[in-house]
Amino acid sequence: MVVHRDQRRADVRDVLDEFERWLLQERSAQECTAAAYTARVAAFVEWLPAPVEESLRKLTAAMLIEWVDLEAARGLKASTLGKQLVMLRSFLQYAHRSGRMGQDLSGVVPHAAAWRLSSIPDPVPAGTIEALFDTLDLRSPKGLRDRAILLLLTGLGLRACEIAGLRLDDIGWRTGSLRIRGKGDRVDELPLPDEVGHALEDYVLHGRGGRVQGEEVFWTVIDPVQPLSANGVCGTIRQICIKAGVEKFGPHRLRHTFATGMLATGATLQEVQGLLRHAHLRTTALYAKVDKNRLTALAREWPAAASLGRCPR
């Protein structure tokens, strides 16, 4: 059966769009999470022979293992491959529950071997961050918007989806606080540093413009004007990197930079855990690996350390 290239693209897009809606509606995923899952699954869906619907109905365990082997052969880091496989399992669950597949093959997908928290965050050098700010034209709405976004990333360590989800009533102008809607419908209030607050004020008063009617804080600057998505925040940072002439990176690397900077200035792991809104201290402990001095201090801060020091003779 011959399938026109444009038709194939449309078929792939239809499946991916439906998968993303399923994540949002059935799994209550954050917008940025749903977009990330869909983007990573796209390579698998595009790999399937056309027509995609028929391939999903005829999908076998052997075909799945073949694709996993191809991904592993690309030399991906274990952590990256692991994320690919987690998202593939989620897609296969969706395909079964939506009736596209007769059986759930998610259990066939193997796990990538990796040590938990084995990677080390790579902070952005201070000179690079300065270069990003130096590219901004603060006479333009875009420059005011991008400065506020950069300061939320470098001064508070927010996630891209948290920035995209900010609404005007989340900003406590009088109390100097910022309400954050994070993962798992979690809501936190963080202290709002003066510099970040002033940047938000400048953008809201002088950058959003009269065409903006909604309550979302950040908006696109090119027609059609609409709320800035988590993907839009990521794209904004990469565009600033290109303009500054530095290696491209995403918002999450600035979150790493914020966390490691806090530890370097003497903050405890528990304090950084609170600011990053991590559910578990062991997640925050990843950042201590950047600094050997902080890693040594971790032995004293870790809850199990005391009991380990009292082993029976």
Side-chain angles (χ1 to χ4, degrees), residues 199-211:
L200 283 170
E201 181 182 14
D202 286 343
Y203 170 64
V204 170
L205 292 179
H206 308 296
R208 290 169 89 242
R211 294 177 298 169

Side-chain angles (χ1 to χ4, degrees), residues 180-199:
I180 305 298
R181 297 177 176 86
K183 290 184 175 180
D185 297 326
R186 175 173 171 172
V187 178
D188 293 280
E189 281 210 6
L190 297 180
L192 185 60
D194 286 346
E195 186 178 18
V196 181
H198 289 316

Side-chain angles (χ1 to χ4, degrees), residues 129-141:
I129 293 178
E130 291 174 3
L132 299 182
F133 280 101
D134 287 344
T135 66
L136 305 181
D137 179 6
L138 300 184
R139 297 168 298 180
S140 69

Side-chain angles (χ1 to χ4, degrees), residues 18 47 66 72 107 144 158 196 219 264 276 297:
E18 188 177 317
W47 173 79
E66 179 186 354
L144 293 175
L158 298 193
V196 181
W219 292 70
L276 294 181

Side-chain angles (χ1 to χ4, degrees), residues 29-33 148-149 151-171 178-190 200 215-218 227-234 251-252 254-256 258 272-279 287:
Q30 295 283 335
E31 180 186 333
C32 56
T33 302
I149 289 174
L151 285 171
L152 286 169
L153 291 165
T154 58
L156 281 175
L158 298 193
R159 302 178 177 94
C161 55
E162 293 169 344
I163 292 175
L166 280 176
R167 301 175 66 85
L168 292 176
D169 60 4
D170 291 329
I171 306 173
L178 191 66
R179 184 167 57 232
I180 305 298
R181 297 177 176 86
K183 290 184 175 180
D185 297 326
R186 175 173 171 172
V187 178
D188 293 280
E189 281 210 6
L190 297 180
L200 283 170
E215 290 299 307
E216 294 85 356
V217 173
F218 293 105
L228 193 67
S229 66
N231 284 340
V233 174
C234 296
H252 213 70
L254 291 174
R255 179 173 165 86
H256 290 330
F258 167 77
V272 176
Q273 178 191 12
L275 289 170
L276 294 181
R277 302 164 310 286
H278 284 155
Y287 297 100

Side-chain angles (χ1 to χ4, degrees), residues 9-59:
R9 287 193 188 125
D11 291 345
V12 169
R13 193 67 256 166
D14 286 345
V15 171
L16 293 175
D17 287 345
E18 188 177 317
F19 173 54
E20 186 167 0
R21 286 195 297 272
W22 179 79
L23 289 170
L24 293 169
Q25 296 168 8
E26 301 297 326
R27 291 300 183 88
S28 300
Q30 295 283 335
E31 180 186 333
C32 56
T33 302
Y37 270 53
T38 304
R40 285 185 180 269
V41 164
F44 170 73
V45 179
E46 290 166 356
W47 173 79
L48 293 172
V52 174
E53 296 279 359
E54 183 176 337
S55 290
L56 285 172
R57 284 195 300 272
K58 296 180 178 179
L59 190 65

